[in-house]
Amino acid sequence: NQWKMKTQIRQNSHPTRLMCHLRKIVQIVSRIILVKLQKKKTYEQIESELKKSLEKSDENWAQFLNAKAEAENLKKRHIREQENARKYALERFSQELLQVKDSLELGLTAANADDAEVSKLIEGSELTLKLLTSVLEKFDIEEVNPKDEKFNPDHHQAMSMLDRDDLDANTVIQVIQKGYLLNGRLLRPAMVIVSKKPAVVELVAEPENDEPN
């Protein structure tokens, strides 16, 4: 047995075999080192990708904040423009109405004069009414005057009905008070009197009574 062990040691101690063992050891160590290097490279790649993702996330968050701020500024600007538009529209309307007021005051002054002429007063009133109508039209206030038109329950309010055999039913006979529309929306209905067909009265002949002589 001792001879066999010595023989095996000698065989293993042969230079060629030692080189083979060393080569295997080197290969194993090289593989271990390569695996470690690959893992290290993978870690570096993951760290690099994570860094890029964080940078992209920060960039997206900054874009979101900018978009949110821009939307809020746009909303505030829109509200401010609406308020200014309402104020500006009221200012324009007031300026136009001042002309009508001036015309009415001039008419009253002329009416109180000792030498006032009725024809001049009528002419001045007509001009004032024309000026007021122009102001209303400028601000899309439309007059509703439906005489001789078909009754429209959306724009008219019937105050009474009259029998008219010469007209179709539901025809506006008279306008008591004109109506008005603001941008196509009803501001005030026109108060009207509407026609209706007279009721047909059938005359029934009474039976003759034969009285005995």
Side-chain angles (χ1 to χ4, degrees):
N1 292 334
Q2 291 179 356
W3 181 80
K4 286 181 179 181
M5 290 179 62
K6 289 180 180 180
T7 303
Q8 186 175 2
I9 290 172
R10 287 194 189 96
Q11 290 176 352
N12 291 335
S13 300
H14 192 274
T16 304
R17 294 184 179 277
L18 285 175
M19 290 297 296
C20 290
H21 287 302
L22 287 174
R23 187 178 292 110
K24 290 181 179 180
I25 292 172
V26 170
Q27 289 178 352
I28 293 172
V29 173
S30 299
R31 289 176 181 176
I32 293 174
I33 294 173
L34 180 61
V35 169
K36 288 185 177 181
L37 289 175
Q38 288 178 346
K39 288 184 177 180
K40 183 178 180 182
K41 185 178 181 181
T42 303
Y43 293 150
E44 290 177 351
Q45 288 177 347
I46 294 174
E47 185 178 2
S48 176
E49 291 177 359
L50 180 60
K51 185 178 179 181
K52 290 180 180 179
S53 298
L54 290 175
E55 291 176 353
K56 188 65 176 178
S57 176
D58 293 339
E59 182 181 351
N60 292 335
W61 179 249
Q63 291 178 355
F64 168 74
L65 293 178
N66 291 334
K68 183 180 178 182
E70 185 176 353
E72 290 178 353
N73 292 333
L74 183 62
K75 181 180 178 181
K76 291 178 181 178
R77 184 166 61 251
H78 181 64
I79 293 174
R80 186 168 59 252
E81 288 176 353
Q82 284 185 330
E83 292 177 351
N84 291 335
R86 283 195 295 267
K87 291 178 181 178
Y88 179 67
L90 183 59
E91 181 182 357
R92 285 184 55 201
F93 186 67
S94 301
Q95 289 176 350
E96 296 291 342
L97 282 182
L98 290 178
Q99 301 179 34
V100 180
K101 183 176 182 295
D102 294 339
S103 180
L104 288 173
E105 289 177 347
L106 289 174
L108 287 175
T109 301
N112 291 326
D114 295 335
D115 56 347
E117 297 181 12
V118 177
S119 60
K120 295 292 184 182
L121 295 177
I122 293 175
E123 183 181 356
S125 298
E126 290 176 348
L127 290 175
T128 302
L129 180 59
K130 185 177 180 181
L131 178 62
L132 179 59
T133 303
S134 176
V135 171
L136 296 179
E137 290 176 352
K138 188 178 294 185
F139 289 90
D140 296 323
I141 299 176
E142 180 184 354
E143 182 181 89
V144 179
N145 187 14
K147 191 175 186 305
D148 298 329
E149 296 179 3
K150 195 74 174 178
F151 177 76
N152 182 0
D154 293 332
H155 294 165
H156 310 155
Q157 180 178 349
M159 305 303 295
S160 63
M161 302 187 76
L162 293 178
D163 293 338
R164 290 289 298 268
D165 193 25
D166 59 328
L167 296 174
D168 293 334
N170 294 325
T171 300
V172 176
I173 303 172
Q174 181 181 351
V175 178
I176 300 174
Q177 186 181 72
K178 296 177 182 178
Y180 291 93
L181 302 175
L182 175 60
N183 291 319
R185 182 179 179 182
L186 185 65
L187 189 61
R188 187 182 76 183
M191 297 182 180
V192 299
I193 297 176
V194 185
S195 67
K196 68 175 181 175
K197 288 295 184 180
V200 178
V201 179
E202 296 182 358
L203 298 177
V204 180
E206 296 181 357
E208 295 181 358
N209 294 327
D210 296 334
E211 296 181 357
N213 292 330

